[in-house]
């Protein structure tokens, strides 16, 4: 070990360990705790957490496992931690060894010297927050996920410790009891603190889209667990490891369909212990990141609460990107954050119109030449297909790993490993996983001795596979199947079974022996394995299936042409159906609360989607005469239009 930063950090960590050990010895040597504020016992009980993580950092530096850049990143953190630890030790020395009667008096005397903000519980909270920053610095390899959770829990518990100096003991002393930087001088201030906490919770609720951890679990449930041994090649990839050690703050992993990008994203997120799965718009992406940063570092609420206090939920609407970006950027520059890794998957599936502005902002923020890049603590991995021209131009400034062709060998090894595992499962239990259903539709017809021959007949390339699947749909079911596929492909969000049933206006009605749910499930099955049903939502088997259905070139086989989804005609069909639905009963009685009027929503299951999203389908239409035809809805149905407008403005955004 020869780096100056590593030597400096090693010296400070050794000092912190000695100080913490000394404080623990002082407390353990005390004959009893009588007359000692309870906070001393609570603080002493958590000193081992601090020592264990600091010691782990020291050992890794001793072994030359930590690079200079990581040591430089935590230098200020460990120095601040040492200062607080020294003050804590000083309080232990001055207060604990004395006789019972004088302990409180000596504690007050020591606090007069140290000044405000040095109560025992405040110092301990600060030390734990420093340790948390150290533990989250990826290059330090300091703490396990369980230890990081232990530190977070300890910080929450220390926040709840009653003030070590009650208010009545500070009167006339010039001291004010302080906890976590907030002054508990009188009941009015306590009310303000409680109000801030309530406002922070309200802010989190308004930010919430979905929990990214739940999103990740849902993806794993849908696609299956990562096969053991796959994706590990990225850890030895020279460019990836160079990026981890470098000052560059964005890494782009790109690849075509079927290259395992989503599984690689999950693997990286688990490795880096921070994940953000895909959202559909720039505002939604920023909201998701701010939500996670606030969960990770509650002190960052200072950056958002002033704006939230004025704007409330309107701070997070679709037109608030500029304000949210300003808040997000200020959070990224706050030293309390520490180096934070984030994985953004599915960028190619985001709304195209909303990508340009945020990517220009990211380019300005994260580029090496930017004056702001050194102050930003974000390390971002973008995983996507090749993108729009302007995004390609922006991301070209950053390191890039191309899964094809740069990592062809490694990706193919992962694919072969995956296939071998799944074929083993297939041969033992014949329970086909969803990722192999395309193959299973053919193999199910054959005996075990015929499978190998059948595989020789299987088409090569996803396009041929999808074409074959469509041609297997019975001729008399193709019109309805094509309509279902259009709705699923062009829908702004995934549709529930009841929404899809109302949308396609099926001729088959529920009966005494057949429920509406059974009818629509049966009709969805017409589309074969193109569609899946998960938790009542209908979706496509894979993004590549959507790309195939949206292809712009005509098919050489005319039988396939009815399935090709033409955006202009499809969006017009959906917009018209939504408007007809609103006009013919759904809004006949006036404005509807889309959040609470459950009985009306149950009677008109497509109402929420139609009211919220028909304008988006209409806005994608290019021909002015088509849009003019839709606008007649406003003039011919003024009462319904007024009801829709009130519903949309009050509940639709």
């Amino acid at each position: 070990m020869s780096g100056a930063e590593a030597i400096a950090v090693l010296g400070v960590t050794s000092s912190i360990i000695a100080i913490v050990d000394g404080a623990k010895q002082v407390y353990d040597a005390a004959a009893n705790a009588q007359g000692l504020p309870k906070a001393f016992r609570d603080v002493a009980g958590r000193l081992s957490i601090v020592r264990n993580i600091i010691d782990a950092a020291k050992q890794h530096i001793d072994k030359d496992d930590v690079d200079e850049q990581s040591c430089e990143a935590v230098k200020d953190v460990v120095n601040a931690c040492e200062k607080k630890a020294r003050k804590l030790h000083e309080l232990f020395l001055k207060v604990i060894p004395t006789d019972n009667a004088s302990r409180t008096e000596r504690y007050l005397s020591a606090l007069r010297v140290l000044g405000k903000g040095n109560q025992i519980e405040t110092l301990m909270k600060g030390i734990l927050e420093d340790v948390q920053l150290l533990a989250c610095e990826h290059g330090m390899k300091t703490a396990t996920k369980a230890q990081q959770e232990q530190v977070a829990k300890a910080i929450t518990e220390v926040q709840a410790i009653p003030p070590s100096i009650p208010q009545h003991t500070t009167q006339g002393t010039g001291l004010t009891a302080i906890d976590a930087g907030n002054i508990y001088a009188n009941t009015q201030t306590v009310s303000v603190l409680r109000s801030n906490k309530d406002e922070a919770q309200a802010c989190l609720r308004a930010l919430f889209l979905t929990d990214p951890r739940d999103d990740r679990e849902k993806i794993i449930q849908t696609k299956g667990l990562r096969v053991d041994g796959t994706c590990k090649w990225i850890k030895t990839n020279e460019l990836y490891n160079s990026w981890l050690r470098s000052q560059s703050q964005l890494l782009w992993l790109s690849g075509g369909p079927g290259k395992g990008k989503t599984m690689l994203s999950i693997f990286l997120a688990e490795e880096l212990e921070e994940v953000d799965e895909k959202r559909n718009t720039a505002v939604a992406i920023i909201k998701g990141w701010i939500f996670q940063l606030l969960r990770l570092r509650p002190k960052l609420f200072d950056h958002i609460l002033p704006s939230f206090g004025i704007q409330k939920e309107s701070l997070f609407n679709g037109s608030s990107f500029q304000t949210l970006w300003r808040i997000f950027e200020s959070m990224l520059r706050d030293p309390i954050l520490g180096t934070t890794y984030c994985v953004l998957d599915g960028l190619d599936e985001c709304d195209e119109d909303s990508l340009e502005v945020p990517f220009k902002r990211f380019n300005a923020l994260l580029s090496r030449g930017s004056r702001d890049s050194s102050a930003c603590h974000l390390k971002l991995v973008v995983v996507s297909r090749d993108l729009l021209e302007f995004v390609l131009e922006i991301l070209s400034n950053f390191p890039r790993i191309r899964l094809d062709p740069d990592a062809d060998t490694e990706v193919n090894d992962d694919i072969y490993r995956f296939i071998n595992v799944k074929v083993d499962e297939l041969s033992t239990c014949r329970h086909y996983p969803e990722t192999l259903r395309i193959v299973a539709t053919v193999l199910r017809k054959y005996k075990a001795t015929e499978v190998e021959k059948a595989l020789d007949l299987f088409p090569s390339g996803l396009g041929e596979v999808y074409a074959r699947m469509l041609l297997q749909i019975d001729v008399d079911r193709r019109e309805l199947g094509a309509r279902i596929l259009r709705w699923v492909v062009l829908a702004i969000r995934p549709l529930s079974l009841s929404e899809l049933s109302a949308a396609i206006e099926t001729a088959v009605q529920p009966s005494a022996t057949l429920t509406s749910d059974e009818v629509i499930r049966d009709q969805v099955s017409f589309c074969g394995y193109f569609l899946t049903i998960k938790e009542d939502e209908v979706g496509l088997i894979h993004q590549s299936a959507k790309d195939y259905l949206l292809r712009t070139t005509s098919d050489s086989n005319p039988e396939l042409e009815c399935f090709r989804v033409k955006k202009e005609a499809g969006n017009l069909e959906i917009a018209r159906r939504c408007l007809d639905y609103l006009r013919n009963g759904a809004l006949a009685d006036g404005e509807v609360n889309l959040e609470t009027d459950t009985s009306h929503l149950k009677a008109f299951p497509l109402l929420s989607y139609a009211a919220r999203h028909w304008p988006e389908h209409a806005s994608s239409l290019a021909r002015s005469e088509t849009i003019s035809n839709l606008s007649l809805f406003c003039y011919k149905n003024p009462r319904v239009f007024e009801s829709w407008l009130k519903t949309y403005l009050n509940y639709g955004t």
Side-chain angles (χ1 to χ4, degrees), residues 226-278:
R226 178 179 62 84
V227 170
D228 189 39
T230 60
C231 301
K232 289 186 176 179
W233 60 267
I234 191 70
K235 293 172 67 176
T236 59
N237 181 273
E238 184 178 345
L239 183 54
Y240 173 71
N241 283 292
S242 172
W243 172 77
L244 280 177
R245 296 189 298 269
S246 74
Q247 296 294 325
S248 178
Q249 292 173 295
L250 188 148
L251 173 67
W252 181 18
L253 277 77
S254 65
K259 290 293 182 178
K261 296 186 297 297
T262 297
M263 283 301 169
L264 187 57
S265 299
I266 291 173
F267 177 77
L268 284 173
E270 290 169 346
E271 281 293 305
L272 300 172
E273 298 189 353
E274 186 57 56
V275 65
D276 187 354
E277 296 300 341
K278 60 190 177 186

Side-chain angles (χ1 to χ4, degrees), residues 624-653:
S624 58
E625 62 269 23
T626 302
I627 299 171
S628 297
N629 290 338
L630 287 179
S631 67
L632 292 176
F633 166 77
C634 310
Y635 299 105
K636 290 185 176 181
N637 308 276
R639 287 184 58 195
V640 176
F641 177 73
E642 183 181 354
S643 299
W644 167 77
L645 191 59
K646 289 180 179 178
T647 299
Y648 181 80
L649 293 176
N650 290 331
Y651 311 107
T653 56

Side-chain angles (χ1 to χ4, degrees), residues 257-498:
K259 290 293 182 178
K261 296 186 297 297
T262 297
M263 283 301 169
L264 187 57
S265 299
I266 291 173
F267 177 77
L268 284 173
E270 290 169 346
E271 281 293 305
L272 300 172
E273 298 189 353
E274 186 57 56
V275 65
D276 187 354
E277 296 300 341
K278 60 190 177 186
R279 298 293 189 270
N280 188 251
T281 66
V283 168
I285 291 170
I286 299 300
K287 282 176 64 178
W289 279 346
I290 290 175
F291 178 82
Q292 290 183 84
L293 291 178
L294 292 174
R295 291 267 294 265
L296 183 68
R297 297 283 182 270
K299 274 196 171 183
L300 296 176
F301 271 110
D302 292 344
H303 296 275
I304 195 170
L305 285 185
S307 296
F308 181 75
I310 297 169
Q311 296 176 246
K312 300 301 182 185
E313 284 78 4
S314 65
L315 176 61
F316 308 120
N317 64 32
S319 61
S320 60
F321 175 80
Q322 304 297 338
T323 304
L324 288 175
W325 179 268
R326 174 180 53 76
I327 292 168
F328 177 60
E329 195 170 330
S330 68
M331 289 180 173
L332 294 182
R333 290 204 184 95
D334 194 321
I336 193 68
L337 181 62
T339 302
T340 300
Y341 293 87
C342 187
V343 179
L344 176 61
D345 181 29
L347 191 64
D348 44 290
E349 298 172 34
C350 287
D351 176 40
E352 294 178 5
D353 294 336
S354 69
L355 285 179
E356 186 168 4
V357 172
F359 265 84
K360 286 182 177 178
R361 292 293 187 91
F362 270 122
N363 186 43
L365 178 65
L366 302 181
S367 294
R368 288 186 184 181
S370 168
R371 60 182 176 84
D372 297 322
S373 64
S374 60
C376 175
H377 301 281
L378 180 69
K379 296 278 276 187
L380 175 63
V381 180
V382 174
V383 184
S384 73
R385 300 188 190 183
D386 287 342
L387 294 161
L388 302 171
E389 194 63 36
F390 73 85
V391 179
L392 285 169
E393 184 179 339
I394 292 171
L395 290 183
S396 66
N397 298 324
F398 299 98
R400 179 182 184 184
I401 298 175
R402 298 173 186 264
L403 299 184
D404 41 2
D406 296 350
D408 263 344
T409 302
E410 293 87 348
V411 171
N412 287 337
D413 286 345
D414 280 355
I415 292 172
Y416 293 143
R417 187 176 284 110
F418 174 82
I419 291 173
N420 287 335
V421 169
K422 294 305 180 183
V423 168
D424 285 344
E425 292 176 3
L426 184 68
S427 63
T428 55
C429 63
R430 295 187 66 82
H431 289 160
Y432 302 110
E434 187 169 310
T435 46
L436 287 182
R437 282 185 177 178
I438 299 172
V439 180
T441 56
V442 177
L443 296 186
R444 192 172 282 132
K445 303 174 183 178
Y446 298 92
K447 302 296 184 184
T449 55
E450 301 172 322
V451 168
E452 189 170 343
K453 184 178 180 181
L455 286 171
D456 291 334
L457 301 174
F458 205 76
S460 61
L462 284 174
E464 292 182 41
V465 173
Y466 290 138
R468 180 169 180 165
M469 290 168 61
L470 291 174
L471 291 173
Q472 288 175 341
I473 299 175
D474 291 345
V475 175
D476 58 349
R477 295 175 174 175
R478 288 181 183 178
E479 182 182 351
L480 179 57
R483 190 157 75 250
I484 291 172
L485 288 172
R486 283 196 297 276
W487 271 89
V488 175
V489 167
L490 295 175
I492 305 301
R493 59 162 174 78
L495 296 169
S496 68
L497 285 166
S498 59

Side-chain angles (χ1 to χ4, degrees), residues 586-637:
L587 290 178
D589 296 327
E591 175 187 355
V592 176
N593 187 321
L594 298 179
E595 306 296 335
T596 62
D597 199 344
T598 53
S599 60
H600 195 75
L601 291 170
K602 187 174 181 180
F604 296 94
L606 190 61
L607 169 57
S608 180
Y609 184 90
R612 286 184 164 112
H613 299 301
W614 80 260
E616 292 171 78
H617 290 287
S619 66
S620 67
L621 303 176
R623 293 184 299 173
S624 58
E625 62 269 23
T626 302
I627 299 171
S628 297
N629 290 338
L630 287 179
S631 67
L632 292 176
F633 166 77
C634 310
Y635 299 105
K636 290 185 176 181
N637 308 276

Side-chain angles (χ1 to χ4, degrees), residues 101-142:
S102 63
R103 278 175 170 167
T104 299
E105 184 179 336
R106 290 177 68 85
Y107 182 36
L108 283 168
S109 177
L111 289 179
R112 290 191 191 97
V113 175
L114 293 174
K116 292 181 179 181
N118 289 293
Q119 279 83 345
I120 195 83
E121 64 276 15
T122 307
L123 289 171
M124 188 59 183
K125 180 174 178 290
I127 291 170
L128 286 168
E129 287 173 341
D130 291 336
V131 167
Q132 186 180 51
L133 285 174
L134 184 65
C136 291
E137 172 57 46
H138 185 72
M140 294 299 294
K141 306 172 186 175
T142 302

